[in-house]
């Protein structure tokens, strides 16, 4: 394949999936800047890979790379010895206050979910991947995927209910 054709194919891949990869990483990490960095790194890995990419499994493959990069980022520590914490919300005047608050709460809740459950939930529910695709991407069975998604939904409901009971009436 010619270099320009490869470049166009990669550009098409990036345009098709970059937003999905970013959103997936944002729900995993809760950190805007980290999600941007890891999205870029995901596509760099694909660009430099010697393994041919199958179009039929491209999204799942990208999510596997993104998740592995996220897990690697958890293993690294900041120079001061403390793990990175918190997240920076995007500064966009176009996004209304209520939506930012809802996003912040969702990201905060997602951080309380075990990483494996969070990944399965994000792939299935947020990225609309089939249970089979999620199972393949995570290297687990379809039953385990369903169980993880169910556990995550229950936990998110619990967190929402806890917030409602803490709010002054």
């Amino acid at each position: 394949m010619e270099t320009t054709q490869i470049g166009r194919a990669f550009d098409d891949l990036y345009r098709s999936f970059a937003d999905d990869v970013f959103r997936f990483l944002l729900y995993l990490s809760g950190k805007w800047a980290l999600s941007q960095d890891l999205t870029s790194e995901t596509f760099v890995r694909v660009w430099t890979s010697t393994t041919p990419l199958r179009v039929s499994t491209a999204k799942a493959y990208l999510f596997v790379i993104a998740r592995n990069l996220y897990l690697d980022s958890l293993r690294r520590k900041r120079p001061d010895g403390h793990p990175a914490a918190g997240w920076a919300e995007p500064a966009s005047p176009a996004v209304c206050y209520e939506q930012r608050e809802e996003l912040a709460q969702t990201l905060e809740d997602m951080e309380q979910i075990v990483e494996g459950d969070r990944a399965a939930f994000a792939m299935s529910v947020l990225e609309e991947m089939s249970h089979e695709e999620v199972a393949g991407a995570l290297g687990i069975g379809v039953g385990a995927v369903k169980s993880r998604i169910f556990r995550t939904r229950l936990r998110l409901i619990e967190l929402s209910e806890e917030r409602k009971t803490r709010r002054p009436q």
Side-chain angles (χ1 to χ4, degrees):
M1 192 182 278
E2 262 184 54
T3 303
T4 55
Q5 289 176 322
I6 293 171
R8 274 187 245 141
F10 181 80
D11 186 52
D12 289 345
L13 179 74
Y14 183 84
R15 288 176 191 266
S16 297
F17 297 112
D19 289 342
D20 296 334
V21 170
F22 172 77
R23 194 171 39 254
F24 173 67
L25 286 164
L26 184 60
Y27 279 106
L28 284 183
S29 71
K31 297 169 183 67
W32 192 268
L34 177 62
S35 299
Q36 289 176 322
D37 291 345
L38 294 178
T39 297
S40 297
E41 181 64 22
T42 298
F43 284 93
V44 167
R45 297 280 173 102
V46 170
W47 179 257
T48 60
S49 175
T50 57
T51 306
L53 179 66
R54 292 191 329 237
V55 175
S56 63
T57 60
K59 188 173 184 177
Y61 179 68
L62 289 166
F63 281 8
V64 168
I65 294 170
R67 179 174 181 247
N68 288 338
L69 289 170
Y70 169 68
L71 293 174
D72 287 345
S73 77
L74 291 178
R75 293 181 193 106
R76 292 188 301 254
K77 295 195 179 215
R78 294 187 328 202
D80 63 5
H82 294 90
W87 67 280
E89 75 178 68
S92 171
V95 179
C96 75
Y97 175 78
E98 290 155 1
Q99 289 173 325
R100 285 194 312 250
E101 286 297 310
E102 184 177 337
L103 175 61
Q105 192 58 63
T106 300
L107 293 173
E108 184 178 311
D109 289 350
M110 290 294 285
E111 286 180 355
Q112 296 185 44
I113 306 296
V114 175
E115 190 282 325
D117 292 357
R118 188 170 58 229
F121 181 82
M123 286 180 187
S124 177
V125 176
L126 304 172
E127 296 303 326
E128 300 177 352
M129 293 173 67
S130 71
H131 291 141
E132 291 78 14
E133 290 173 313
V134 175
L138 296 178
I140 59 176
V142 173
V145 169
K146 291 177 181 179
S147 176
R148 288 179 179 197
I149 292 167
F150 180 74
R151 263 194 316 261
T152 300
R153 287 178 191 217
L154 283 180
R155 183 65 181 136
L156 291 172
I157 290 168
E158 287 173 4
L159 291 168
S160 176
E161 293 300 318
E162 287 172 14
R163 247 188 330 282
K164 286 178 187 175
T165 60
R166 286 188 306 227
R167 246 184 235 150
Q169 298 291 329

